[in-house]
Amino acid sequence: HLSGSIDRLVLVLADGIPVAADVIDFKTDAAGEAAAARTSYFEQLRHYVRAVSLAYGIEASAITARLAWLATGNVETLPVP
């Protein structure tokens, strides 16, 4: 059992039906992209993508996952299998 909160979820609808999504997780680490926990952040986003896929019936390939590094202002799009 896992629990967590998606910081920002943007659903794309077609005729009221979710067809795509953008999952955004904001990170406040002072080290930004160089943070030691970077790999665990990727895994966290993969879990979020799976949850959104199951909850809304959206193919994982139609879901974009992003890390927004607040310390550096960079936004990183992660590859989703």
Side-chain angles (χ1 to χ4, degrees):
H1 179 76
L2 299 171
S3 66
S5 297
I6 295 172
D7 290 336
R8 176 103 172 132
L9 174 62
V10 178
L11 293 174
V12 177
L13 305 176
D15 295 323
I17 298 169
V19 294
D22 196 5
V23 175
I24 305 167
D25 198 47
F26 298 100
K27 295 300 178 192
T28 59
D29 301 47
E33 295 92 327
R38 191 167 189 258
T39 302
S40 65
Y41 295 156
F42 294 169
E43 191 61 28
Q44 174 188 15
L45 275 176
R46 286 184 186 97
H47 287 297
Y48 289 166
V49 167
R50 179 161 166 69
V52 169
S53 177
L54 291 171
Y56 293 96
I58 302 170
E59 292 291 327
S61 60
I63 302 172
T64 303
R66 303 176 200 277
L67 287 174
W69 301 98
L70 299 181
T72 63
N74 292 330
V75 176
E76 182 176 8
T77 301
L78 304 179
V80 178

